[in-house]
Amino acid sequence: MVRNPSKPRVSIVICTYNRADLLHITLESLTQLEDMAQAEILIVDNNSTDHTLDIANSFIHRHVGILNVHYVFEAKQGLSAARNNGIETAQGEIVAFLDDDAIPCKGWIRTMLTTFDSRSDIDALGGRIRPIFESKRPAWLIPGLELPYTIVDLGENVRTYPTTLHPFGANMAIRKSFLVNHLFPTHLGRIGSLLLSGEESWLFGEMKKAGKGILYHPSLIVDHFIPDSRLTEEWIKKRYYYQGVTNGSMHKGYFAKLVLLGKVAAKVLYIAVEALFARTVGSKLLVTCRMESIRGTLDTLRKRRKMQLTR
């Protein structure tokens, strides 16, 4: 394929909402990356009311002629809407998503380019996501509770993702050729502070249906900030509840709901057995969180009309 040297190969999409100070740290970290000359940075402001615009404009002004940076405004509230705007604006053949509170490793872009160039069978790439705790890791945060905090480490080897996992938005890169026909569903994913999710699972489900490869690379690393406000038992229980709401929302139609109810019944039995052996604070909390997820699913399925969600 003949490439246009004037166009970036990678579009780094950073969606942000009211986290200007964290965004500032993330943007500054990009100046240390190798191969930035082959990338553009898209700051997608999802209708922020803080000083996000000032942070973006300051960064763009200070790096004129050095970095290829653009500010994009998305008025429709929701992470999926912001990501879709980034996809449509992106000029690169690879769209790399980075959270506004994440710091990529120095070789982040180079790992993407070399992997995609050598693996034509791969359409998506993910990697390690290491936590940066605002203060300290809670004693109850056992490995079984790490995924809601997007703490990911699948080992030292390059490998395909297991069937139950996929890349996370804090650190994932996808060929734009796939994304142009598969935008994120806007009824799923974070909307303001509402803890809905599922948009990434939907997208990678579509990718798997299309027979596209999804690869984990241990050298694709970001450090991800976790604030104290999320390091509470109440937050993690709420996070699991809304995961259940998401599961219920994704299953439409009589047959799909019956299948989901069957899975819920099996999970209840599994959790009941698990509860018998829970001894630590963390293991007991995990049992409670899983029951919260089931409660969220059942609450959603019981509603005769669309569930009214409040923040």
Side-chain angles (χ1 to χ4, degrees), residues 44-275:
V44 185
D45 181 355
N46 195 196
N47 206 20
S48 297
T49 56
D50 64 357
H51 55 293
T52 290
L53 178 59
D54 294 336
I55 291 294
N57 282 338
S58 173
F59 184 79
I60 292 170
H61 177 75
R62 285 184 288 110
H63 297 91
V64 170
I66 303 171
L67 297 177
N68 184 359
V69 193
H70 305 277
Y71 172 85
V72 182
F73 183 79
E74 175 52 59
K76 183 176 180 179
Q77 205 71 60
L79 180 56
S80 289
R83 283 176 173 167
N84 291 343
N85 193 328
I87 291 167
E88 292 167 348
T89 307
Q91 296 295 305
E93 64 200 62
I94 300 166
V95 181
F97 294 95
L98 182 69
D99 276 4
D100 60 2
D101 56 0
I103 299 174
C105 67
K106 190 173 182 180
W108 193 61
I109 296 172
R110 181 166 298 177
T111 298
M112 287 178 210
L113 292 175
T114 55
T115 303
F116 279 115
D117 285 348
S118 63
R119 294 289 300 269
S120 60
D121 59 319
I122 295 301
D123 270 52
L125 186 66
R128 294 181 181 177
I129 304 175
R130 304 184 301 200
I132 303 175
F133 296 103
E134 184 174 4
S135 54
K136 64 178 182 178
R137 180 180 182 128
W140 52 258
L141 183 49
I142 60 175
L145 289 168
E146 286 184 341
L147 276 185
Y149 291 105
T150 58
I151 300 172
V152 179
D153 189 338
L154 300 184
E156 299 289 339
N157 299 319
V158 177
R159 54 176 292 192
T160 57
Y161 275 85
T163 56
T164 56
L165 287 178
H166 53 69
F168 286 81
N171 182 24
M172 65 183 185
I174 304 171
R175 293 190 194 272
K176 187 172 181 180
S177 57
F178 179 84
L179 289 171
V180 289
N181 295 312
H182 299 86
L183 295 177
F184 287 95
T186 54
H187 68 287
L188 297 173
R190 295 286 177 91
I191 302 174
S193 58
L194 189 63
L195 296 178
L196 286 174
S197 56
E199 79 286 4
E200 293 165 9
S201 296
W202 178 89
L203 182 80
F204 289 113
E206 294 298 300
M207 190 173 288
K208 290 174 183 177
K209 289 178 187 176
K212 305 294 185 179
I214 305 171
L215 198 68
Y216 165 84
H217 201 301
S219 297
L220 193 75
I221 304 170
V222 303
D223 293 322
H224 187 226
F225 179 70
I226 303 177
D228 286 341
S229 60
R230 293 186 181 182
L231 293 171
T232 67
E233 294 183 24
E234 287 307 309
W235 186 91
I236 191 63
K237 286 188 284 187
K238 183 179 179 181
R239 174 67 179 82
Y240 268 85
Y241 177 83
Y242 277 99
Q243 180 60 56
V245 171
T246 300
N247 292 341
S249 301
M250 292 177 71
H251 290 75
K252 298 179 180 180
Y254 181 75
F255 180 74
K257 289 179 180 178
L258 281 181
V259 171
L260 180 59
L261 285 172
K263 291 180 179 179
V264 166
K267 285 182 180 179
V268 169
L269 291 175
Y270 173 81
I271 294 169
V273 173
E274 190 178 46

